Amino acid sequence: MNRDTIIGFVLIALVLIGFSWYNQPSAEQIEAQRKEDSIAAVMKENAEKKQQAEAAAKKAETEAAKDDSTALFYAALNGSEEDIILKNGKVELTLSTKGGTLSKAVIKDFTDKNGNKDVTLFDKKDQQMNFLLAGKQDNIITQDLFFTPSNVSDSTVTMTAQASDGGSIVLDYRLGPDHLLHFSLTANGLSGMFAPTYKEMDIEWNGHSRQQEKGFYFENRYTALFYKEANNGSTDNLSETENKSKTIEETLDWVAFRNQFFSAALISKDNFSGGSNLSSVQDTKESGYLKQFDAKLRTAFDPTGKKPSEFEMYIGPNDFRLIQDVEKQSQFGKDLDLEQLVNLGWWLFRLINRWFTLYVFDWLASWGFSMGIVLILITLLLKAITFPMVKKSYMSSAKMRVLKPKLDEATKQYDKPEDQMKKQQAMMQMYSQYGVSPLSGCLPMLIQMPIWIAMFWFVPNAIQLRGQSFLWMEDLATYDPIISWNSHIWGIGDHLSLSCLLFCGSNILYSWFTMRQQKDQMVGAQAEQMKYMQYMMYLMPVMFFFMFNDYSSGLNFYYFISLFFSSIIMWTLRKTTNDEKLLAILEARFKENKNNPKKKTGGLAARLEAMQKQAEELQKQRMNQQKK
């Protein structure tokens, strides 16, 4: 490795640090959140009082509605709440006759953070969905109505709210074989209560995102409200790190409440109209929740009842391959692109993860290896792929190392500060004559950088790592504490992660190892610059500790193994390189170039030579002007 290689590592570090900083709340946001928490406590108390008052008022209104013959659904305002369960081998969904919508969702075969067999994504206190129909005189609010179930089986149910004039609101549900729920809303015999121009209904969907993993702050970084623009548009999300409200003017295919590893997505066959209001509000660690999501949407509605308003819901894990398969069951004929719920990174890193990492990961996992072994094998495969570039980088450094005595001798007359340009030019000239490119070590590191960052995105979003143990790590998807405490310490949290300590420690050792190699090849100003570079290289692991202490042990373990094998490769290359033979090869090349006087200096040396001539010309012009 040379200075350019180290610069490559520094760039990687800066990108990772920058990304982590970008995704973490600022001090102002934390302080604002604390204030919001105290305000929220007062607001919660006031809200409870308001809710009690509203409940009393609503009861009075309901009693009054019974005597009002114009209230079409007064008979449906009272009834007994009953749960209807739809289930298959993947999910168990509970629908309540009060409101006629989902009140609970359980995803099977995934243990929760307390070790229970299945994951409860939400229940009726966490999520509500409400359909609002604006009539000419009366409004229909499905949340207030009691529905009568019929056609009940493990996969189907029809919910009907009967009107006094014989009309009805019908919600028809059908659960597919996996994680997709099909349902529709139809208004039968109610066309007279709506205006002729009434073509859209409102939907209010709100949900409290439960904390499903051990690490609150890490899971919170990957929890957000996602949405996709219609007609093959892009997928976007509200901020993961701050309270955010947004009005989306474009039509939408779907809106999703996404946790780190599980999602609930609402899809409309006729799209959600422009003007959707979406909001995301942060919760506190002690609450047991991550964020409060709210979506106010509008979609097509036929008052005549000839055409139902059709929807689908994906309720399941954020598994890229699974979502691809489930999406094929959609009956809407759209390119939903729901797999975007698995956040594989920005476009370049997503391409790497989508078309390389995923395939390699699936292939290795298909052999039955544990997830820890899979991470090690992926690391070895990436090292094998990048080895030619790493070797090229190392050989460039080795060539400069064996040429250092000759460079020192050839440039010792350029010790004055004003002669630094000449010194650089002389060095580049010698590098060119010996066939050495001092920049050849930089490109391989720049090529490897996207892989490092791609894995930074891939590992935390790989649900296959969730709940998987390896060596001392109980769960590769969350941190692995060796020491924990109750209070929160700024910058550290409430624990020390062993995999993070190993990663940072190996980073320090690797930096020390590479720095020792650099001392033998730096000349003049480069040696001085290296002193300052050393401080940066030793400071980075300390910064990484504060960044990665609450990150998943799988990610820290991958970086630890990657650095471990990098050290072995560098040590092996150093031991197998014969400096005397390498110098003999360079000397032969020097003689060949010397016997070819027509050979011109190229590349960086040529540019430096041109810059030197320009500088000398400018200096002469200034001296001539001073003489005049």
Side-chain angles (χ1 to χ4, degrees):
M1 288 179 59
N2 57 14
R3 182 185 59 179
D4 301 311
T5 305
I6 295 176
I7 291 174
F9 273 119
V10 173
L11 289 174
I12 294 173
L14 292 177
V15 170
L16 293 176
I17 292 169
F19 173 76
S20 180
W21 172 84
Y22 176 78
N23 280 275
Q24 292 189 30
S26 63
E28 292 79 6
Q29 290 171 339
I30 293 174
E31 182 61 29
Q33 183 66 47
R34 289 175 180 171
K35 292 180 180 178
E36 286 181 9
D37 292 341
S38 60
I39 294 172
V42 177
M43 291 179 66
K44 183 177 179 181
E45 183 178 353
N46 293 337
E48 290 175 353
K49 293 179 181 178
K50 183 179 178 182
Q51 188 176 11
Q52 293 173 357
E54 288 177 348
K58 186 175 180 180
K59 183 176 180 180
E61 289 176 4
T62 302
E63 293 298 323
K66 292 180 181 179
D67 300 325
D68 185 357
S69 59
T70 61
L72 289 177
F73 285 90
Y74 73 89
L77 292 174
N78 285 290
S80 59
E81 186 172 2
E82 181 183 351
D83 289 337
I84 306 297
I85 296 176
L86 305 181
K87 60 184 179 180
N88 56 30
K90 304 294 184 180
V91 294
E92 182 176 294
L93 306 179
T94 302
L95 295 102
S96 174
T97 56
K98 175 65 185 301
T101 57
L102 274 175
S103 61
K104 185 177 181 181
V106 176
I107 302 174
K108 298 181 179 181
D109 300 327
F110 290 93
T111 57
D112 66 12
K113 64 185 178 71
N114 297 318
N116 298 317
K117 182 179 178 182
D118 301 319
V119 169
T120 299
L121 188 60
F122 58 81
D123 58 23
K124 61 183 178 182
K125 72 176 182 296
D126 302 329
Q127 179 189 268
Q128 295 80 38
M129 186 177 293
N130 191 19
F131 299 92
L132 302 95
L133 306 173
K136 289 185 287 189
Q137 294 182 343
D138 300 314
N139 296 328
I140 301 174
I141 303 174
T142 59
Q143 201 173 55
D144 296 338
L145 305 179
F146 285 87
F147 289 74
T148 301
S150 61
N151 189 31
V152 179
S153 71
D154 283 348
S155 60
T156 62
V157 64
T158 299
M159 297 281 200
T160 305
Q162 201 69 44
S164 59
D165 64 351
S168 62
I169 296 293
V170 178
L171 286 162
D172 195 57
Y173 292 91
R174 180 172 60 84
L175 178 62
D178 290 310
H179 297 270
L180 202 62
L181 176 68
H182 311 264
F183 68 100
S184 63
L185 183 148
T186 309
N188 295 323
L190 299 175
S191 58
M193 73 170 293
F194 299 104
T197 58
Y198 187 69
K199 301 296 181 183
E200 290 186 326
M201 68 174 172
D202 292 282
I203 303 171
E204 291 182 351
W205 183 30
N206 57 76
H208 227 162
S209 179
R210 287 188 175 192
Q211 180 184 346
Q212 303 288 357
E213 313 305 323
K214 180 170 64 175
F216 172 83
Y217 296 105
F218 187 66
E219 184 184 5
N220 203 30
R221 289 191 187 100
Y222 296 91
T223 300
L225 190 155
F226 276 68
Y227 56 91
K228 179 185 177 292
E229 296 176 11
N231 302 318
N232 298 323
S234 61
T235 302
D236 204 350
N237 62 276
L238 301 185
S239 172
E240 299 96 335
T241 58
E242 60 183 356
N243 297 339
K244 185 71 175 180
S245 296
K246 189 174 183 180
T247 300
I248 311 298
E249 299 301 336
E250 295 80 8
T251 58
L252 303 177
D253 276 332
W254 51 262
V255 174
F257 299 165
R258 176 193 183 274
N259 278 53
Q260 182 180 4
F261 292 120
F262 304 97
S263 291
L266 177 64
I267 308 158
S268 173
K269 180 178 181 179
D270 298 308
N271 303 333
F272 297 114
S273 305
S276 300
N277 294 313
L278 310 177
S279 71
S280 172
V281 179
Q282 302 279 335
D283 271 305
T284 60
K285 181 179 180 181
E286 295 74 19
S287 68
Y289 294 92
L290 302 167
K291 292 180 174 71
Q292 170 71 45
F293 296 133
D294 290 284
K296 295 182 179 180
L297 312 164
R298 293 178 68 87
T299 192
F301 171 72
D302 181 7
T304 68
K306 295 179 180 178
K307 180 182 177 183
S309 299
E310 296 185 64
F311 306 90
E312 292 174 338
M313 284 193 76
Y314 174 78
I315 300 170
N318 300 330
D319 184 323
F320 193 92
R321 299 301 185 198
L322 173 64
I323 293 176
Q324 280 186 318
D325 292 338
V326 171
E327 188 175 323
K328 295 175 184 176
Q329 302 170 21
S330 174
Q331 300 173 357
F332 296 164
K334 295 182 178 182
D335 182 12
L336 295 174
D337 209 18
L338 274 172
E339 60 267 22
Q340 292 279 357
L341 290 171
V342 183
N343 194 353
L344 297 178
W346 301 327
W347 72 270
L348 174 60
F349 313 123
R350 184 174 184 82
L351 286 175
I352 295 172
N353 286 327
R354 172 67 181 84
W355 300 108
F356 174 77
T357 313
L358 266 173
Y359 283 98
V360 173
F361 191 86
D362 291 344
W363 176 65
L364 292 173
S366 68
W367 288 80
F369 296 120
S370 71
M371 289 298 107
I373 297 297
V374 168
L375 288 175
I376 293 174
L377 293 176
I378 286 179
T379 306
L380 288 172
L381 179 61
L382 291 174
K383 292 301 178 186
I385 292 172
T386 58
F387 178 75
M389 295 178 288
V390 172
K391 185 176 181 180
K392 182 179 179 181
S393 173
Y394 174 81
M395 292 308 297
S396 176
S397 299
K399 290 173 184 178
M400 289 190 289
R401 182 179 67 248
V402 298
L403 286 176
K404 183 178 181 297
K406 294 183 176 294
L407 287 172
D408 288 336
E409 181 64 27
T411 60
K412 64 182 180 181
Q413 68 270 32
Y414 304 117
D415 290 336
K416 297 179 181 179
E418 61 269 22
D419 292 335
Q420 289 305 305
M421 182 66 76
K422 292 181 179 179
K423 186 172 188 175
Q424 289 294 326
Q425 184 181 357
M427 289 171 57
M428 292 301 106
Q429 180 67 30
M430 286 192 66
Y431 283 143
S432 178
Q433 291 172 339
Y434 280 95
V436 176
S437 174
L439 296 180
S440 61
C442 186
L443 182 59
M445 290 310 305
L446 292 177
I447 293 174
Q448 292 183 80
M449 187 191 301
I451 298 175
W452 271 61
I453 301 174
M455 293 300 290
F456 181 83
W457 286 93
F458 179 82
V459 174
N461 286 287
I463 193 171
Q464 294 84 349
L465 300 180
R466 185 180 185 273
Q468 297 296 310
S469 62
F470 184 68
L471 299 178
W472 70 90
M473 296 167 284
E474 295 181 357
D475 186 351
L476 290 169
T478 187
Y479 59 83
D480 52 324
I482 53 170
I483 301 176
S484 299
W485 52 87
N486 295 325
S487 59
H488 182 84
I489 299 177
W490 183 87
I492 299 178
D494 57 4
H495 66 275
L496 289 178
S497 173
L498 178 57
S499 61
C500 180
L501 291 173
L502 289 174
F503 161 44
C504 296
S506 64
N507 204 342
I508 291 174
L509 290 174
Y510 182 71
S511 299
W512 174 79
F513 178 73
T514 54
M515 286 295 176
R516 290 196 63 183
Q517 294 192 73
Q518 295 302 312
K519 292 181 179 180
D520 297 332
Q521 66 183 63
M522 295 302 173
V523 180
Q526 289 181 335
E528 291 297 321
Q529 293 172 0
M530 184 53 59
K531 293 180 181 179
Y532 299 102
M533 192 69 69
Q534 286 178 344
Y535 295 116
M536 175 63 72
M537 293 298 291
Y538 290 135
L539 181 62
M540 278 195 303
V542 178
M543 299 173 67
F544 280 149
F545 169 76
F546 291 105
M547 286 172 51
F548 287 84
N549 189 45
D550 64 344
Y551 269 54
S552 68
S553 56
L555 182 63
N556 281 320
F557 180 71
Y558 166 76
Y559 283 141
F560 164 63
I561 292 297
S562 180
L563 285 169
F564 174 76
F565 285 121
S566 292
S567 299
I568 291 177
I569 290 170
M570 296 300 294
W571 181 83
T572 303
L573 288 172
R574 181 68 181 91
K575 290 296 182 180
T576 56
T577 301
N578 188 315
D579 288 359
E580 293 180 359
K581 289 184 178 180
L582 181 59
L583 181 58
I585 293 171
L586 294 176
E587 290 288 3
R589 189 175 299 168
F590 175 77
K591 291 178 180 179
E592 181 183 344
N593 292 334
K594 189 176 181 181
N595 295 330
N596 185 10
K598 294 183 179 181
K599 181 177 176 64
K600 295 183 178 179
T601 302
L604 182 60
R607 289 192 292 273
L608 284 172
E609 185 176 354
M611 290 171 59
Q612 174 66 20
K613 290 180 178 179
Q614 268 187 334
E616 290 176 353
E617 186 63 29
L618 287 173
Q619 184 67 21
K620 289 179 181 179
Q621 291 177 3
R622 291 194 190 98
M623 292 178 64
N624 291 334
Q625 289 177 355
Q626 290 175 359
K627 289 179 180 179
K628 293 179 180 180

